[in-house]
Amino acid sequence: MTEKFHYDNKIVRNFALATIIWGIVGMTIGLLIAMQLFKPAMNMGSQYTTFGRIRPLHTNAVIFAFVGNAIFMGVYYSLQRLLKARMYSDILSKIHFWGWQLIIIATVITLPLGLTSSHEYAEMEWPIDIAITIIWVVFGYNMFGTIIKRREKHMYVAIWFYIATFVTVAVLHIVNSIQLPVSAFKSYYVYAGVQDALVQWWYGHNAVAFFLTTPYLGMMYYFLPKMANRPVYSYKLSILHFWSLIFIYIWAGPHHLLYTSLPSWAQSLGVAFSVMLIAPSWGGMINGLLTLRGAWDKVREDPKLKFMVVGLTAYGMATFEGPLLAFKQINAIAHYTDWIVAHVHVGALGWNGFLTFAILYWLIPRIYNTTLYSVKLASFHFWIGTLGIIFYAVPLYFSGFTQGLMWKEFTPEGLLKYPNFLETVLQIIPMYVMRAIGGALYLTGVIVMTYNLIKTMKAGKLVANEAAEAQPLPPVYVAQGDDKKLHRMLERKPMIFMVLSLIVILIGGMIEMMPTFTIKSNIPTIASVKPYTPLELQGRDVYIREGCVNCHSQMIRPFRSETERYGEYSKAGEFVYDHPFLWGSKRTGPDLQREGGKYGNAWHYNHLYDPQTMSPGSIMPPYEWLAEQQLDTTTTRVKINAMRTLGVPYEKGYEHQANSDLDKQAKAIAADLQQNNIKVKSDKEIIAIIAYLQRLGTDIKAK
Amino acid sequence: MKEVINSNWSTGSTSADIVIGLMLITAIMILCVTLLMLKVIKFYVKESINPTPFATPQEKEKRRLEQEALQVIKDKKPSIWTKLMQLKPMEEEKNLVMEHKFDGIAELNNPTPAWFMILFYGTIIFAIGYLLTYDVLGFGKSQEEEYIAEIEQAAESKVAFLANPANVKNAVNENNMEQSKDEAIIKNGASLFANRCTPCHGEHGEGIVGPNLTDEYWLHGGKAKDVFKTIKYGVPEKGMIAWEKSLSAQQISDLTNYVLSLQGTKPAGAKAPQGNKE
């Protein structure tokens, strides 16, 4: 007796549309910030469109809006068919869809306004973080509801990856979002300095692992065999690479913090586990490529399969390069340069982008019950997209090596060959131009795809509810033959499967984070390090708002080239009051960890007001509004209180005195500026940020 | 100002020029090869559609049979790729298909390739070795130890550099600096002054954020040795940058001579005197 039911295609279509729209938005913003790097005028003179505020918008739009919607599209399509069941609840599907779009819209509004928590790839402020948690749970509930009412006894490998994605992203997001709100749109992370850095990069690295990798592997396991009409190459390999991948990935985060103040043992764990990641990652690639065995003649003709092959190859390259970059010696050159930007874009444009396009080309004609409008246009998209990736990545690799080596070069006299940071920037500007051309080519391909898909949709009609039938599960199941094996048993038990994958991913995170949080010796205290003054604290928040951390690191590594250029290398104990940490990950401008006292207040004023006057040729945008906007001192009291709650030793009752101290310090700076013929009122934001910059790194310099 | 940027550009970009040149050459080579390939393909297509008669039909048939026999032998021999991936022949695939199917997707019971397992276990062994080396047995240097070694080595090479008589002029310092009016030196100083000093002291030393350098008044002393010292160590509390890390002793000396040569030039828009008359 077969049961009749319908697959929900409308929700798949909606997520597909959202994928396309947000893809174009995210990539266009990417192109804009790429152009800002060689043409500062593209910052458009407005605080809402400067690189520092827009760059997080690009990363979040592409990761969570484009890739996020694509994941949901792929999951909602494949899950129903793999389980022979409609999604658990249409209402939950709708809440999930609209909730996610609202979160994206809220992000698009708040990030340009400067409402940011500054954790990379998680810049959204706390109300949005809560919304993300709720919607993610809705998604998980809907997915598990579907799994429970399935008509297929065993869960296919794609679903293992979906389950691991769901639990791990939930854990990552919650741990990385623990903040203390100080107002509706401002909060401080409860972690400080080294610990905050460890949490951020544990999250950041695993966002790549469990948002950009595991769900896509799951989708690859469904859509690739479907497209090629071939069996999956090796079931054994899927088991091995699935479990090893999720267990090992979670440990690798600290490789983002090599040569920093993170304790050495944690850095070494990051290196060791990154090396072990090669095989599990490649397991996915070879299982995909070998599935195409016997179908290579189709690859020659079918642009979808071409996208798949290049996507898998890009995945293989990126996951081989990742462990290489995790070696200390290579990282010493590559870190803070465009090499890393090139690396992530090979993954993002090649793996995520191309897989998404292939799936769209496959899925849209199916749910519209028609054929693709133009295979030729799809082919054109493939070639221009591939060309775009090459034009994007090659110049940036070159720029990365060039700049990384220039920073380290000394003259025979023992001086830095390029003491002026700007010289090393001007050297790579042509590469930035080429990169933007690559990005434009890639975006052109996406627009061509959009046209092609709209035409396809118009030619067909959406099959909102697709009829299907299947046998219900027998009430009693007796395992026979191979089904008695341990892993087959696990594939029948979704809850046990989920708990097991949760345990597997928790091990690495716990072992790395617990000691860093609890053992004192990991962060030696420095007596001379004192909390920020109220003005500096406010200035720091302006620094956070403007997204300075997107271009300026605050972490001097123990290399001669860095201590010569910037000053004494950073110590873990210097960051104990930094909620959040602001070490940064890319040096488009110089490091600022020892900026305090290097230049006069007037220099900073002029430089912020118009960087080109103090550094001719600089690509930093001018920050005129800092000199016009009044510093909001009504928040000082709650900020001091919040910091005290987080363990910063402000004396009891200091919050009442804080604003008068703030005023005093601000007046002193304004008076100093006055002496240099700069007339500015002491209540402007620029005074606060100058105070913060002048404080940076001076605590241990003074001794 | 502009000139300095440009000169930095051209001196530093030789490697870039080489790479761009290489890229161009490669691109041209690829173009040539492609054109050649196109020619070959065209020829091939033409020949296969309308072959030039060479041999009699019997001869042709014989050749074809020979080719076929060779192909059979070749097909039986697994390729390097097949061996490396431990791939089973396609005909045997049906024996590998597992019982279950998911939405029409079958799975094969292929073993994981041996090279893959070697890679997998190899990296695990390497990782254990790495952790032992750096964090258990202590063979590997910590990053602080690496840093100390790097600094010591730099100090040694600096001593070696100064020991060479050719480099002695670089030994000039704030105690032995003597003013020079040599035109070449002053010209060199002027080029160092542009861009580095102009943002604060003005194009002609008239003073902007920093003091006027053309009058007789000095905040930190106007003798050659004093000026040298001010440039070298800076006056951080007043915003004057220390240049000892980015300019060689010789360059600081040249710059000092240029600054001293500005005395009495009376540029337009000069800042009011600061400090003491000397």
Short mmCIF file of all heavy atoms in Angstrom, two decimals, chain A residues 106-130:
data_model
loop_
_atom_site.label_atom_id
_atom_site.label_comp_id
_atom_site.label_asym_id
_atom_site.label_seq_id
_atom_site.Cartn_x
_atom_site.Cartn_y
_atom_site.Cartn_z
N ALA A 106 17.72 43.39 8.08
CA ALA A 106 18.18 44.09 9.29
C ALA A 106 19.70 44.29 9.24
O ALA A 106 20.22 45.34 9.63
CB ALA A 106 17.79 43.30 10.53
N THR A 107 20.41 43.28 8.73
CA THR A 107 21.87 43.39 8.61
C THR A 107 22.25 44.46 7.60
O THR A 107 23.15 45.27 7.84
CB THR A 107 22.45 42.03 8.17
OG1 THR A 107 22.00 41.04 9.09
CG2 THR A 107 23.96 42.07 8.14
N VAL A 108 21.55 44.48 6.48
CA VAL A 108 21.85 45.45 5.43
C VAL A 108 21.61 46.88 5.95
O VAL A 108 22.29 47.81 5.54
CB VAL A 108 20.98 45.17 4.18
CG1 VAL A 108 21.15 46.27 3.14
CG2 VAL A 108 21.36 43.83 3.58
N ILE A 109 20.68 47.02 6.88
CA ILE A 109 20.43 48.36 7.43
C ILE A 109 21.43 48.70 8.54
O ILE A 109 22.00 49.78 8.56
CB ILE A 109 18.99 48.44 7.98
CG1 ILE A 109 17.99 48.30 6.83
CG2 ILE A 109 18.76 49.76 8.74
CD1 ILE A 109 16.56 48.10 7.28
N THR A 110 21.67 47.77 9.45
CA THR A 110 22.47 48.12 10.64
C THR A 110 23.97 48.22 10.37
O THR A 110 24.63 49.07 10.96
CB THR A 110 22.21 47.14 11.79
OG1 THR A 110 22.49 45.81 11.34
CG2 THR A 110 20.79 47.21 12.29
N LEU A 111 24.50 47.37 9.53
CA LEU A 111 25.96 47.43 9.36
C LEU A 111 26.44 48.76 8.78
O LEU A 111 27.39 49.34 9.31
CB LEU A 111 26.46 46.23 8.54
CG LEU A 111 26.42 44.88 9.27
CD1 LEU A 111 27.01 43.78 8.41
CD2 LEU A 111 27.15 44.93 10.61
N PRO A 112 25.81 49.30 7.71
CA PRO A 112 26.26 50.63 7.26
C PRO A 112 26.06 51.72 8.31
O PRO A 112 26.78 52.71 8.31
CB PRO A 112 25.39 50.89 6.03
CG PRO A 112 24.97 49.55 5.56
CD PRO A 112 24.81 48.73 6.81
N LEU A 113 25.11 51.52 9.22
CA LEU A 113 24.93 52.52 10.28
C LEU A 113 26.04 52.44 11.32
O LEU A 113 26.10 53.25 12.24
CB LEU A 113 23.57 52.31 10.96
CG LEU A 113 22.33 52.69 10.14
CD1 LEU A 113 21.07 52.32 10.90
CD2 LEU A 113 22.34 54.18 9.85
N GLY A 114 26.89 51.45 11.20
CA GLY A 114 27.99 51.33 12.15
C GLY A 114 27.61 50.56 13.40
O GLY A 114 28.34 50.57 14.38
N LEU A 115 26.47 49.87 13.37
CA LEU A 115 26.07 49.06 14.52
C LEU A 115 26.70 47.69 14.34
O LEU A 115 26.19 46.84 13.63
CB LEU A 115 24.55 48.95 14.59
CG LEU A 115 23.83 50.30 14.60
CD1 LEU A 115 22.34 50.13 14.40
CD2 LEU A 115 24.12 51.02 15.91
N THR A 116 27.85 47.52 14.97
CA THR A 116 28.63 46.30 14.73
C THR A 116 29.27 45.82 16.02
O THR A 116 29.66 46.62 16.86
CB THR A 116 29.71 46.54 13.67
OG1 THR A 116 30.59 45.42 13.66
CG2 THR A 116 30.52 47.78 13.95
N SER A 117 29.35 44.51 16.15
CA SER A 117 30.03 43.95 17.33
C SER A 117 31.49 43.65 17.01
O SER A 117 32.24 43.28 17.88
CB SER A 117 29.33 42.67 17.77
OG SER A 117 29.52 41.66 16.80
N SER A 118 31.86 43.81 15.75
CA SER A 118 33.24 43.71 15.24
C SER A 118 33.81 42.29 15.18
O SER A 118 34.92 42.12 14.71
CB SER A 118 34.21 44.63 16.00
OG SER A 118 34.87 43.94 17.02
N HIS A 119 33.08 41.26 15.61
CA HIS A 119 33.60 39.90 15.39
C HIS A 119 33.42 39.55 13.92
O HIS A 119 32.30 39.60 13.41
CB HIS A 119 32.83 38.89 16.25
CG HIS A 119 33.52 38.57 17.52
ND1 HIS A 119 33.27 37.42 18.23
CD2 HIS A 119 34.45 39.23 18.22
CE1 HIS A 119 34.03 37.40 19.32
NE2 HIS A 119 34.75 38.49 19.34
N GLU A 120 34.52 39.16 13.26
CA GLU A 120 34.46 38.94 11.82
C GLU A 120 33.45 37.84 11.46
O GLU A 120 33.42 36.79 12.10
CB GLU A 120 35.84 38.57 11.30
CG GLU A 120 36.24 39.43 10.11
CD GLU A 120 37.66 39.17 9.67
OE1 GLU A 120 38.55 39.11 10.53
OE2 GLU A 120 37.87 39.05 8.46
N TYR A 121 32.67 38.08 10.43
CA TYR A 121 31.62 37.17 9.94
C TYR A 121 30.50 36.99 10.97
O TYR A 121 29.70 36.07 10.87
CB TYR A 121 32.15 35.80 9.53
CG TYR A 121 33.44 35.89 8.77
CD1 TYR A 121 34.58 35.20 9.16
CD2 TYR A 121 33.53 36.75 7.67
CE1 TYR A 121 35.77 35.34 8.47
CE2 TYR A 121 34.70 36.89 6.99
CZ TYR A 121 35.82 36.19 7.39
OH TYR A 121 36.99 36.33 6.71
N ALA A 122 30.45 37.85 11.98
CA ALA A 122 29.35 37.81 12.96
C ALA A 122 29.17 39.21 13.50
O ALA A 122 28.94 39.41 14.69
CB ALA A 122 29.69 36.84 14.08
N GLU A 123 29.27 40.21 12.60
CA GLU A 123 29.28 41.61 13.05
C GLU A 123 27.92 42.09 13.55
O GLU A 123 27.84 43.12 14.21
CB GLU A 123 29.74 42.52 11.90
CG GLU A 123 31.25 42.50 11.66
CD GLU A 123 31.68 41.46 10.65
OE1 GLU A 123 30.86 40.57 10.33
OE2 GLU A 123 32.83 41.53 10.19
N MET A 124 26.86 41.36 13.25
CA MET A 124 25.53 41.83 13.62
C MET A 124 25.41 41.98 15.14
O MET A 124 25.95 41.18 15.89
CB MET A 124 24.46 40.84 13.13
CG MET A 124 24.29 40.83 11.64
SD MET A 124 25.64 39.97 10.82
CE MET A 124 24.89 38.39 10.51
N GLU A 125 24.64 43.00 15.55
CA GLU A 125 24.50 43.25 16.99
C GLU A 125 23.53 42.28 17.64
O GLU A 125 22.84 41.51 16.97
CB GLU A 125 24.08 44.72 17.21
CG GLU A 125 25.27 45.63 17.53
CD GLU A 125 26.04 45.25 18.81
OE1 GLU A 125 25.59 44.39 19.56
OE2 GLU A 125 27.12 45.84 19.03
N TRP A 126 23.45 42.34 18.94
CA TRP A 126 22.80 41.26 19.70
C TRP A 126 21.34 40.97 19.37
O TRP A 126 20.95 39.80 19.37
CB TRP A 126 23.01 41.47 21.20
CG TRP A 126 22.33 42.69 21.78
CD1 TRP A 126 22.81 43.96 21.82
CD2 TRP A 126 21.04 42.74 22.37
NE1 TRP A 126 21.92 44.80 22.37
CE2 TRP A 126 20.81 44.09 22.75
CE3 TRP A 126 20.04 41.80 22.63
CZ2 TRP A 126 19.63 44.51 23.35
CZ3 TRP A 126 18.86 42.21 23.24
CH2 TRP A 126 18.68 43.56 23.59
N PRO A 127 20.49 41.99 19.05
CA PRO A 127 19.11 41.59 18.72
C PRO A 127 19.04 40.70 17.48
O PRO A 127 18.24 39.76 17.42
CB PRO A 127 18.41 42.93 18.47
CG PRO A 127 19.28 43.96 19.10
CD PRO A 127 20.67 43.45 18.99
N ILE A 128 19.91 40.99 16.51
CA ILE A 128 19.93 40.18 15.29
C ILE A 128 20.48 38.78 15.62
O ILE A 128 20.00 37.77 15.09
CB ILE A 128 20.75 40.87 14.18
CG1 ILE A 128 20.14 42.25 13.89
CG2 ILE A 128 20.79 40.03 12.92
CD1 ILE A 128 20.85 43.04 12.83
N ASP A 129 21.47 38.74 16.52
CA ASP A 129 22.01 37.44 16.93
C ASP A 129 20.90 36.55 17.50
O ASP A 129 20.85 35.35 17.24
CB ASP A 129 23.10 37.62 17.99
CG ASP A 129 24.40 38.13 17.38
OD1 ASP A 129 24.53 38.03 16.15
OD2 ASP A 129 25.26 38.62 18.13
N ILE A 130 20.04 37.16 18.31
CA ILE A 130 18.94 36.38 18.91
C ILE A 130 17.99 35.90 17.82
O ILE A 130 17.59 34.73 17.80
CB ILE A 130 18.20 37.23 19.97
CG1 ILE A 130 19.13 37.47 21.16
CG2 ILE A 130 16.91 36.54 20.42
CD1 ILE A 130 18.59 38.41 22.20
#
